[in-house]
Amino acid sequence: MTYEEFKQKVGSIILTEQGNCPVTPVIQMLQGKWKLQIIYELCIKSPIRFGELRKVLQPITNTALANALKELESDDLVQRIQYNEMPLRVEYSLTEKGQDLLPVFYAIVQWGMRYIP
């Protein structure tokens, strides 16, 4: 569906299977204090290790980071790769689905630069 088609249909027939606004599930998937910042950091540097990610997201706690990463992984936005070596090494990167969000973030950035000083 093109943007023009979306604008024409948004108020009339675009609904999810549950009859809701189609934006709601996306917002629910991305809500939380850290998720958008995690995705942003994964756009900048990917793959990235847990400790590196924690350092750039100060003052995030280990628990908050682990929980947000698990949720993003369960939504197939982030990929976790564990290397069985000593010491244990785990790296995170965006999945193809996560990378597909980049044009959406770009549009949000453009809007923010236009309207938020």
Side-chain angles (χ1 to χ4, degrees):
M1 171 183 321
T2 67
Y3 178 67
E4 292 303 318
E5 291 170 331
F6 174 79
K7 286 193 324 185
Q8 291 174 356
K9 296 178 181 180
V10 72
S12 59
I13 62 169
I14 296 180
L15 299 174
T16 65
E17 291 178 6
Q18 294 79 28
N20 299 322
C21 168
V23 176
T24 301
V26 177
I27 298 299
Q28 290 172 339
M29 185 183 300
L30 298 175
Q31 74 183 2
K33 182 175 181 179
W34 298 104
K35 287 183 181 180
L36 293 175
Q37 293 173 341
I38 290 169
I39 292 171
Y40 174 77
E41 292 301 331
L42 290 172
C43 290
I44 295 171
K45 183 176 181 188
S46 186
I48 189 168
R49 295 177 70 171
F50 185 91
E52 294 174 272
L53 198 50
R54 186 173 32 96
K55 285 178 187 173
V56 297
L57 293 174
Q58 290 295 332
I60 194 170
T61 64
N62 286 344
T63 304
L65 179 55
N67 289 340
L69 285 167
K70 284 178 189 174
E71 290 174 15
L72 290 167
E73 187 179 4
S74 71
D75 288 328
D76 195 33
L77 298 175
V78 169
Q79 177 183 20
R80 179 185 189 270
I81 299 175
Q82 179 175 317
Y83 298 91
N84 293 325
E85 51 189 48
M86 286 298 172
L88 186 65
R89 179 169 56 113
V90 177
E91 293 181 341
Y92 295 89
S93 59
L94 289 178
T95 62
E96 186 175 332
K97 182 178 174 182
Q99 291 174 5
D100 282 347
L101 281 170
L102 298 183
V104 175
F105 291 156
Y106 177 74
I108 292 170
V109 167
Q110 294 301 305
W111 184 89
M113 290 174 69
R114 183 172 180 185
Y115 294 108
I116 300 173

